[in-house]
Amino acid sequence: MKVKVNKDACIGCGACVSICPEVFVFNDEGYAEVIADNVKEEYEEKVTEAIESCPTEAISEIKEND
Ligand code: SF4
């Protein structure tokens, strides 16, 4: 699975970073950024939780055929 953060939508609340720091980190501007291009299977559940927890729906899954 692959995910991306829409920088225009992220408000820097930190939910994704605390749920799955292996995939999401804060950048210098205080917004979330994806550090893992391909999310390892072991983190997929947490990433899905992060997607559902994001208050602004800034995180989305990148489908293979996008
Ligand atoms: S949960 Fe959403 S709004 Fe909060 S830091 Fe992550 S991407 Fe940004």
Side-chain angles (χ1 to χ4, degrees):
M1 123 190 246
K2 292 182 181 184
V3 286
K4 62 182 176 190
V5 170
N6 177 349
K7 288 189 168 51
D8 295 331
C10 175
I11 54 168
C13 75
C16 58
V17 178
S18 47
I19 291 168
C20 192
E22 297 86 353
V23 173
F24 303 100
V25 294
F26 280 125
N27 63 20
D28 292 343
E29 291 159 350
Y31 297 111
E33 186 172 283
V34 173
I35 48 167
D37 272 349
N38 282 299
V39 176
K40 288 188 188 157
E41 218 174 302
E42 60 193 295
Y43 300 137
E44 286 188 357
E45 201 171 316
K46 288 207 287 182
V47 168
T48 302
E49 193 187 330
I51 292 171
E52 287 165 1
S53 303
C54 177
T56 60
E57 297 181 356
I59 311 167
S60 55
E61 190 174 346
I62 303 170
K63 302 289 182 192
E64 289 303 321
N65 55 2
D66 268 359

